Amino acid sequence: MRLDYLLFDSSDEDSGHCSFDALASVLPERLPALVAEVEAVLRWAHRAFGLPDADGGEWDYALQLTGADGEPLVIAYDAALGGVRLPGPVTARVALALTLGGSPAFASAFLDAFPDA
């Protein structure tokens, strides 16, 4: 899948694990397209590597949403539904941050699945 909003920076740890960080800022009318990309990436990760596990698992993630005033907004990914839940109508610019971390196998598979990320 081509990603237009999520452009990831990557970093590697000495342990071989990696992280991919993306930050996107959009107006309300662009938020559905950005959320669709987040959902695609997280659905892929769940299908390919199972549930996220921060304690030595194959992968984990963090998802954050911030309003124009810098206030954190509630955002969550529901793995059972394969979708993102937002706090309600968004009427101003927001910034979304998505961080993925994982094993070398996760990193390789991520780069294969999203080569333009």
Side-chain angles (χ1 to χ4, degrees), residues 6 13-15 21 28 30 32 36 41 57-58 64 70 75-76 78 80 84-85 100 102-103 110 114 117:
L6 295 175
E13 299 175 8
D14 290 337
S15 66
D21 300 295
R30 300 285 185 191
V41 169
E58 283 292 313
Q64 298 173 326
I75 186 171
D78 185 328
V84 169
R85 288 182 283 144
L100 302 166
S103 67
F110 177 81
F114 303 99

Side-chain angles (χ1 to χ4, degrees), residues 7-22 58-62 98-104 106-108 110-111 117:
L7 303 174
F8 289 90
D9 289 325
S10 64
S11 60
D12 297 320
E13 299 175 8
D14 290 337
S15 66
H17 280 71
C18 66
S19 68
F20 297 94
D21 300 295
E58 283 292 313
W59 79 288
D60 197 14
Y61 75 97
L98 175 61
T99 298
L100 302 166
S103 67
F106 177 85
S108 178
F110 177 81
L111 293 171

Side-chain angles (χ1 to χ4, degrees), residues 3-51:
L3 300 176
D4 294 316
Y5 294 92
L6 295 175
L7 303 174
F8 289 90
D9 289 325
S10 64
S11 60
D12 297 320
E13 299 175 8
D14 290 337
S15 66
H17 280 71
C18 66
S19 68
F20 297 94
D21 300 295
L23 178 63
S25 177
V26 296
L27 294 169
E29 60 269 16
R30 300 285 185 191
L31 186 57
L34 173 57
V35 166
E37 290 187 8
V38 170
E39 290 170 339
V41 169
L42 293 178
R43 276 195 302 264
W44 167 84
H46 277 87
R47 275 194 317 271
F49 289 91
L51 293 174

Side-chain angles (χ1 to χ4, degrees), residues 57-80:
E58 283 292 313
W59 79 288
D60 197 14
Y61 75 97
L63 180 61
Q64 298 173 326
L65 187 67
T66 306
D69 58 2
E71 282 294 312
L73 302 172
V74 176
I75 186 171
Y77 178 75
D78 185 328

